[in-house]
Amino acid sequence: MAEDIVYAVSSGALELGETEIKIFPDGELYFRYLENIRGSDVFIIQSTNQPARNDEELRMMIHTAKAASAGRVTAVIPYFGYARQDRKERSRAPVSAIRKVQELVAVGMDRLLVVDAHSSAVENAALALGKNCDHLWARSEVVRFLKSDEFFLEFKQEGLVIAAPDLNAGKFARGYAESLDISAPLVLIEKRRDVQSGDTSIINVIGDVRGKNVLIVDDMIDTAGTLCDASRAFVKQGAKRVWAVATHGVFSGSAIERINKSSIEQVFVTDSISGNIGRHPKIRIVSIAPLLGEAIWRIHKNESVSSLFTEEGEMSRNTYDALCWGCNISFSTSGLFLCRECSELGVLNTDPLKKAMADKTIRSPREAPGFVRIKGAYNRYRTFLSCNNREPISYEEIAAHIKDCKKCAAYIMGKESTPI
């Protein structure tokens, strides 16, 4: 996922920082940065799902970065583990969501970036400790994916209602209903959870699902018990088909087996947790790398992160409309590319690419006809800066400079070892 985020930030111009991590025979971790990060703005991307090694690895990376004189260290945590332990529900119980934030601050974290944290306790704890926390919503990426999926559009046209698997998820589900233009009232599940065992039982279904398709929306799927119980309840009350959406696919225990045996046809989750499941006929993965990449870039540039989202929660991205100077072909991602037709460098419009991917003409930007991304297309600090002694303000400015500067162009295209 980290590589996808880097690509989203720079269209292939930047690379992940070089690091070394190993595990000693006794299980101890060792981590080291293999490049100079003194004074740098460091973003460490790590979800803190199980095993506990992920958590320890993140703390070690933060502490090591601060010890290496990093200017600022931001912990980018797509899935924040322990966020459900956000309150003391009985005597002598921990509030681990707050403790986890305290641990990150203690090792030197300067800023926190999370996606759909289960509880506001995470954000509030960071702010109470004097650290900024940016809380992103994956809904914008999931909704964009659903709106471009022909099977979902068919599912929606058959008559769709949005359902929350418990009362607490009602606001979360309402956001999806508004983004998907679903005017039908929400359907809610009233359930009871046993404090000792954690098992849940459904008491009541609030709302009408008879003859409708149901999209269950929640922030995470853990054991899938609640999800599958809700699906059975909806089918029992006359629902035709059931799909599900969740930001975080934890899939612990026998979750996959439950989903296999359930009446749920499709489950959409993001890649906030990677490597915990392989290919599965019922589970589809939605990437949130573009969302995180844009947020990271804005944090680095001290720009607004909240302005990423409109009132409806949709992500708003800047796109670049300049085309190749030699041709009028417009397939590619925003960034610097070399045209196969005329060998001109250009910054390209993203809109045709989005349409081609939505129409399934191509599966990824790398399959776009007409352009090929130059390996290491440009390096801000070795080309533009070396000629202008200042930071570029846009892709267009860099591309225009390279077009006019033969030395930089020769370097970019691999004909010279240095731009100067």
Side-chain angles (χ1 to χ4, degrees), residues 25 29 41 54 60 69 86 101 104 109 118 129 145 177 269 277 300 317 343 368 380-381 383:
L29 290 173
D41 198 4
N54 291 330
M60 185 177 290
S69 301
D86 59 344
V101 177
L104 295 174
M109 180 192 73
H118 184 78
L129 294 168
F145 183 89
V269 295
I277 57 168
H300 173 64
R317 291 194 188 90
S343 298
R380 290 186 177 88
Y381 302 102
T383 57

Side-chain angles (χ1 to χ4, degrees), residues 230-241:
S231 174
R232 279 194 293 272
F234 294 144
V235 171
K236 187 176 180 180
Q237 295 214 0
K240 293 192 298 183
R241 302 167 64 191

Side-chain angles (χ1 to χ4, degrees), residues 325 344-345 396-409:
W325 285 284
E344 286 281 5
L345 292 162
E396 291 96 325
E397 186 175 356
I398 299 172
H401 167 75
I402 291 173
K403 179 176 182 290
D404 296 330
C405 178
K406 294 181 179 179
K407 292 180 180 179
C408 279

Side-chain angles (χ1 to χ4, degrees), residues 50-356:
Q50 294 301 311
R53 169 191 163 181
N54 291 330
D55 209 353
E56 175 60 24
E57 193 175 283
L58 175 62
R59 293 195 300 269
M60 185 177 290
M61 293 172 73
I62 294 171
H63 186 266
T64 305
K66 295 300 288 186
S69 301
R72 179 175 65 176
V73 178
T74 301
V76 181
I77 309 178
Y79 170 72
F80 195 100
Y82 289 91
R84 284 176 287 181
Q85 297 185 30
D86 59 344
R87 63 188 183 279
K88 190 175 180 179
E89 82 284 353
R90 49 183 174 160
S91 60
R92 299 178 298 280
V95 186
S96 298
I98 295 176
R99 177 174 61 83
K100 288 298 177 182
V101 177
Q102 291 173 329
E103 291 174 359
L104 295 174
V105 172
V107 295
M109 180 192 73
D110 297 305
R111 193 181 189 101
L112 180 62
L113 176 62
V114 297
V115 180
D116 282 339
H118 184 78
S119 169
S120 60
V122 173
E123 185 175 2
N124 293 338
L127 293 174
L129 294 168
K131 305 298 179 182
N132 289 328
C133 177
D134 295 292
H135 193 166
L136 305 181
W137 298 276
R139 184 173 77 238
S140 59
E141 295 300 304
V142 176
V143 167
R144 182 177 288 105
F145 183 89
L146 292 175
K147 285 182 175 180
S148 66
D149 184 80
E150 59 181 324
F151 299 107
F152 175 78
L153 296 178
E154 178 185 339
F155 182 78
K156 178 182 177 182
Q157 289 171 358
E158 293 174 357
L160 177 63
V161 294
I162 305 295
D166 56 50
L167 300 179
N168 293 329
K171 184 177 180 181
F172 192 78
R174 171 52 60 192
Y176 270 88
E178 293 174 354
S179 296
L180 290 169
D181 303 318
I182 306 298
S183 58
L186 285 180
V187 176
L188 302 174
I189 290 284
E190 185 181 3
K191 66 180 184 181
R192 180 185 292 116
R193 183 181 296 275
D194 186 277
V195 177
Q196 299 293 335
S197 65
D199 295 334
T200 61
S201 58
I202 293 177
I203 301 174
N204 187 28
V205 175
I206 304 171
D208 182 22
V209 297
R210 188 174 301 279
K212 302 288 183 65
N213 290 343
V214 180
L215 181 66
I216 304 173
V217 175
D218 205 355
D219 65 328
M220 73 171 67
I221 300 173
D222 188 356
T223 63
T226 297
L227 177 67
C228 294
D229 287 345
S231 174
R232 279 194 293 272
F234 294 144
V235 171
K236 187 176 180 180
Q237 295 214 0
K240 293 192 298 183
R241 302 167 64 191
V242 180
W243 285 18
V245 164
T247 302
H248 310 295
V250 181
F251 300 124
S252 60
S254 56
I256 300 299
E257 183 181 351
R258 287 194 180 101
I259 291 173
N260 284 337
K261 295 178 179 179
S262 74
S263 57
I264 301 172
E265 297 178 7
Q266 295 280 325
V267 177
F268 297 85
V269 295
T270 74
D271 55 354
S272 63
I273 301 174
S274 59
N276 59 336
I277 57 168
R279 286 185 172 272
H280 191 281
K282 284 190 175 184
I283 298 174
R284 300 176 67 183
I285 308 297
V286 180
S287 176
I288 54 173
L291 171 66
L292 287 168
E294 184 72 15
I296 287 171
W297 181 247
R298 291 186 179 216
I299 291 171
H300 173 64
K301 300 290 289 183
N302 293 318
E303 296 177 356
S304 172
V305 174
S306 62
S307 63
L308 270 173
F309 303 94
T310 64
E311 293 180 357
E312 291 76 24
E314 294 290 340
M315 182 174 160
S316 174
R317 291 194 188 90
N318 293 324
T319 58
Y320 305 98
D321 296 327
L323 302 179
C324 169
W325 285 284
C327 302
N328 195 33
I329 303 173
S330 56
F331 282 103
S332 195
T333 58
S334 57
L336 192 63
F337 280 66
L338 177 69
C339 176
R340 291 193 184 101
E341 299 297 324
C342 66
S343 298
E344 286 281 5
L345 292 162
V347 184
L348 313 166
N349 192 350
T350 60
D351 292 333
L353 170 73
K354 291 178 182 177
K355 184 178 186 305

